[in-house]
Structure formats: structure tokens, C-alpha cells
Amino acid sequence: WTSGGNMGTGRINHAGAGTQTGGLGFAGYTTTNLNSSEEYDGSSWTAGGNLNTARRGLAGAGLQTAGLAFGGYTTTVSNATEEYDGSSWTAGGNLNTARNGLGGSGIQTAALGFGGRTPPPFSSATELYNGSSWTTSPATLGTARQNLGNSGTQSKALAFGGETTAN
């Protein structure tokens, strides 16, 4: 690991997408839910477009110029999906099951959302996104959990760690 540039706005419970030289960080929480996004060029962050819905605990997938934000928490658990084109966010198809703390992988037109919290239980559910709508997958996580790590593609994803019991 080496140090990179700092985000313009420090935040927690945010999501990201992209690559090391074309990254995208968005939403999250400071003292309130955020709707801002920032783009990374490999050395510094610059402001990107604002999401339509400020939230935290969401998942992300895709690239800096074709990003995807889904789920999260506003004042309730959200099923909202938004797509990023490199400058602005627009509404996409809603998740079938609203949840926060979920994992995400893939690209904007072939994404995967899994796990999370639907309150009150944790979820093992998996949904597939095709660029316009989500479908429920028969494949589920072996262990229901939230705030898990994630990587991969829609067809070859990795879920790791996470919280399995309520605090």
C-alpha cells in the first residue's frame, strides 16, 4: 500500500466503484447523510455529481464513468438504485428488497447485490441487476450478514467478513 490523495470530504459508510486510476466514492455519513460523489484520478480527488438521494450504508459497483449506487439508509432502509455516467446520477430500477450494509460487485449493466440488513434480520438474499431492473437470485449467501467486504463480477463474486449478529 502507498498513500494517495485525501477525499475532499471525510466520510464513513460510503460506497465506491472504479479502478485505482479512475475511482469513484459516493454518499456516506458525516453528521448527516451525504449525496455527494468524488472522482479519483490516481493521485487526487475532485467533486463529481450529486446523487438524487442522500444515504449511507449503500453498495456500489461499476466504473467511474458508469457507476451504480444501490440500497442504503436515509431515515429508513432504502431500495433506491442510481446510475452514474461520469457527471450525473439518474434513477435506476429499485432493489426488490430494501436493505443497507449490503455488498455489491460487477458493472452497471451486470451487477450483483447481496446480504445486508432489512431490519430487523440480516439478509442472505442476492439480487442481479441488468442495467434497468433487479431480479432475485435463487443463490443466497451461506451466512446472512451486513457490512461485508465484496469484490468481483456478477458471475464470480466474493463476499467476506461482515457482521452476523446484532450489537
Side-chain angles (χ1 to χ4, degrees), residues 20-37:
Q20 186 181 44
T21 57
L24 179 64
F26 45 90
Y29 184 81
T30 55
T31 57
T32 185
N33 289 334
L34 301 174
N35 69 343
S36 59
S37 66

Side-chain angles (χ1 to χ4, degrees), residues 59-156:
L63 302 170
Q64 185 184 76
T65 56
L68 193 65
F70 49 97
Y73 184 84
T74 57
T75 56
T76 61
V77 178
S78 175
N79 67 348
T81 298
E82 295 186 46
E83 300 176 0
Y84 191 63
D85 65 7
S87 62
S88 61
W89 293 91
T90 57
N94 288 339
L95 285 162
N96 294 305
T97 303
R99 48 198 151 142
N100 68 301
L102 69 163
S105 64
I107 60 174
Q108 190 182 73
T109 56
L112 189 66
F114 44 91
R117 185 178 179 118
T118 58
F122 294 142
S123 176
S124 62
T126 299
E127 295 186 42
L128 306 158
Y129 191 67
N130 64 9
S132 61
S133 63
W134 291 94
T135 57
T136 301
S137 170
T140 60
L141 292 173
T143 303
R145 55 196 145 154
Q146 73 170 355
N147 300 327
L148 59 158
N150 50 263
S151 64
T153 65
Q154 186 185 62
S155 60
K156 295 184 188 274

